Amino acid sequence: MSKSPEGGGTSEARERLLGTGLLFAAGDALGPAGVILLLVYPLFDVGAALVDIRSARAGGATAPALRVNVVISSLAVAGLAVAAASGIPAVLRVWGIWAVASGIVQLVAGATRRRLGGQWAMIVSGSISTLAGASFFAQAGGDDPSLRGLAGYAFLGGVFFLVSALRLNRARDGR
């Protein structure tokens, strides 16, 4: 549920929500289409963070949390690609580690940027990511590991991303 809406990425939020629907439709299939859908979410995260880094630079900021997010999400893409060959439990473990790591980054970023306003969604999202990531990791060792929970997680992440982007756009425009 990693977010990097500093640049006001409402189009990225819409794309994430659409990708969520596709991920849910793929169900528990780890065929080529399912693997591509698994990789799309963290790839969007990398892309959105890179756009936001550029926007932050234009505003004179350094955005260290966004840089960390690019690294974490890039590693998640590579890890998920490898894990997909091993099956659903491996995918859930990698996704869980990614969710926990990116959730912690969100919590730190949201807490340090509270003065900007509109950070409640990032803080809540970071908390949910951390808890959900631990849940995915635990589910991997269960009797019937499933990818269906990832779709709900991705949907909620898209919603929080959209809320954060809209709030930051309003704050930037002085509304």
Side-chain angles (χ1 to χ4, degrees):
M1 198 174 308
S2 183
K3 248 50 67 263
S4 49
E6 289 179 21
T10 54
S11 64
E12 288 95 341
R14 285 190 298 267
E15 291 166 355
R16 283 179 182 212
L17 293 173
L18 174 63
T20 298
L22 295 173
L23 182 60
F24 186 76
D28 285 331
L30 271 181
V35 172
I36 289 170
L37 291 173
L38 285 172
L39 301 179
V40 165
Y41 192 90
L43 282 171
F44 271 118
D45 201 49
V46 170
L50 290 173
V51 167
D52 291 343
I53 288 169
R54 187 176 56 195
S55 296
R57 240 188 275 147
T62 59
L66 290 173
R67 294 176 190 285
V68 171
N69 189 47
V70 168
V71 172
I72 291 169
S73 294
S74 296
L75 290 171
V77 172
L80 287 167
V82 171
S86 296
I88 292 172
V91 167
L92 288 171
R93 285 183 187 97
V94 171
W95 194 287
I97 292 168
W98 173 52
V100 168
S102 63
I104 291 169
V105 170
Q106 282 178 261
L107 284 168
V108 170
T112 58
R113 298 183 333 187
R114 279 183 304 187
R115 62 177 164 50
L116 297 176
Q119 298 302 305
W120 66 268
M122 182 168 296
I123 292 168
V124 170
S125 178
S127 300
I128 292 170
S129 286
T130 303
L131 294 172
S135 173
F136 294 137
F137 195 88
Q139 183 187 3
D143 292 335
D144 189 25
S146 170
L147 298 177
R148 293 213 183 265
L150 300 184
Y153 170 81
F155 175 78
L156 193 55
V159 169
F160 275 109
F161 190 93
L162 181 60
V163 168
S164 293
L166 291 172
R167 298 259 314 164
L168 287 171
N169 278 341
R170 285 187 183 154
R172 183 182 61 212
D173 295 342
R175 291 186 263 158

